[in-house]
Amino acid sequence: VADSDRDAHEGIARLRAGFTEQRGDHSRANHRSEVPARVWLLLGGNGPPMSREPRLPPLEPGEQPLWLFLVLALLNIVDSFNLNVVWPMLPFMVEGYGVAKDEEDLGAWVGVAGAAVSIGQLISAYAWGALSDVIGRRPVMLVGMFTSTFTAIIFGTSTTYAQCVAGRFLSGLLNGNAGVVKTYVGEVTQKSQQAKAFSLFALCFGLASCVAPAVGGFLQKPADRWPGTFAGTPFETYPYLLPMSCAAALTTLGFIVGYLFVPETASQWRRMRRRRFMSPMQPSSSVGYEMVRTPKKAGGHGDRDGDGDG
């Protein structure tokens, strides 16, 4: 009898331990799912992620209107503008910081500051692409616009060489739109339209590359050029803030336009629904699981990645 009671107590203890561990696993799973949910709600989702339709209907591949390409081209213009607006200012900024011993040494310091943005892009480009496969193309593009606004202000208010380099580095590290925008275009257009779309992007990038240095050179040190207007203002304290404020305004415009008019791609939306952000199966209630499936449309273009549900 004693042995039976001992076995019973041990069995009950094992059941309690298993229940506690299972409850802890569910708690950790719910905590992990809160992060995509917060991102989803912040960037325009309507309700919990994947539980309802998004605010903007996902965009199916096909012949797209010109205005959509112009909106996407604006995102490309922003990247080009932020990349090139600093070139007329950098030599004067670095010289003012006093880090270069002589003129021969100045070029090296300017080169490091100029290359910082490309180093940031090199480090984060793959990560941004992978993140866009998880949370969608649209949120990544919006985050890139949002962060570019702040990195432009950081660079424009630089008072030390370290802050100058940090501003440029962060502008490349925190913006992955260079690759994600092209992926977006490839997922929403037919092959017959892609040549025109990518040509428009290249044209806008070149146009911004021409305009941005002129803006940076013309608007730098405005208190010296127009003392009656800018003397005694923050633009005198930070002589390179005005052109970078123009860059920040452009990125803010890109964020607003993208938020209002650029939907998620339909193929990426279907992939996210199947994965449910975390795994192919997600608890739908206290008991059981559900698998989200999206049937193919007859005669439609289908997913670009070829992983449709047959």
Side-chain angles (χ1 to χ4, degrees):
V1 174
D3 292 340
S4 300
D5 291 341
R6 185 167 52 254
D7 293 341
H9 284 299
E10 290 178 355
I12 293 174
R14 285 195 297 269
L15 288 175
R16 287 178 176 174
F19 175 76
T20 302
E21 182 179 358
Q22 183 180 13
R23 184 171 57 182
D25 292 341
H26 282 297
S27 178
R28 288 189 293 270
N30 291 335
H31 176 72
R32 288 193 299 267
S33 65
E34 287 177 1
V35 177
R38 293 193 190 103
V39 175
W40 173 254
L41 292 172
L42 175 64
L43 297 177
N46 184 17
M50 304 294 108
S51 64
R52 302 179 185 176
E53 290 302 313
R55 188 179 59 84
L56 297 176
L59 189 61
E60 293 285 352
E63 291 289 333
Q64 305 299 341
L66 178 61
W67 68 264
L68 177 65
F69 294 124
L70 294 177
V71 171
L72 295 174
L74 175 62
L75 306 185
N76 211 33
I77 289 174
V78 168
D79 289 337
S80 176
F81 192 93
N82 285 346
L83 179 65
N84 294 286
V85 71
V86 304
W87 297 124
M89 302 182 289
L90 268 181
F92 300 103
M93 294 180 72
V94 175
E95 184 179 18
Y97 298 141
V99 294
K101 298 179 180 178
D102 47 41
E103 291 185 1
E104 289 75 12
D105 195 34
L106 180 63
W109 291 94
V110 172
V112 171
V117 61
S118 299
I119 296 174
Q121 290 175 337
L122 177 65
I123 294 174
S124 66
Y126 182 84
W128 282 116
L131 183 62
S132 73
D133 289 336
V134 176
I135 66 174
R137 318 298 184 205
R138 167 186 161 89
V140 169
M141 291 190 294
L142 293 180
V143 168
M145 294 294 99
F146 186 76
T147 56
S148 293
T149 300
F150 292 98
T151 56
I153 298 301
I154 291 174
F155 181 83
T157 56
S158 298
T159 56
T160 63
Y161 181 77
Q163 184 181 348
C164 169
V165 174
R168 293 299 290 163
F169 177 74
L170 291 175
S171 67
L173 185 72
L174 301 180
N175 187 344
N177 288 353
V180 176
V181 171
K182 295 179 178 63
T183 303
Y184 186 100
V185 174
E187 290 183 343
V188 301
T189 58
Q190 295 177 338
K191 290 185 177 180
S192 60
Q193 204 177 18
Q194 287 179 1
K196 295 180 180 178
F198 287 117
S199 298
L200 177 63
F201 280 14
L203 175 64
C204 293
F205 191 92
L207 178 62
S209 298
C210 295
V211 174
V215 172
F218 183 71
L219 296 182
Q220 66 175 326
K221 300 183 178 179
D224 296 340
R225 188 184 297 269
W226 304 287
T229 303
F230 294 100
T233 66
F235 297 108
E236 183 177 16
T237 306
Y238 306 106
Y240 306 102
L241 179 59
L242 183 58
M244 297 313 298
S245 296
C246 294
L250 193 60
T251 57
T252 302
L253 176 63
F255 175 84
I256 295 173
V257 172
Y259 179 83
L260 293 177
F261 300 110
V262 177
E264 183 59 75
T265 67
S267 59
Q268 177 61 23
W269 176 255
R270 285 191 286 267
R271 285 192 292 270
M272 292 191 297
R273 288 191 65 181
R274 284 193 290 269
R275 288 195 302 263
R276 300 285 295 187
F277 270 94
M278 298 302 295
S279 65
M281 292 186 300
Q282 180 79 4
S284 59
S285 62
S286 59
V287 292
Y289 293 83
E290 64 175 353
M291 178 74 78
V292 178
R293 301 177 63 86
T294 303
K296 286 186 176 180
K297 294 183 179 180
H301 296 283
D303 288 351
R304 292 281 173 161
D305 62 347
D307 62 349
D309 298 322

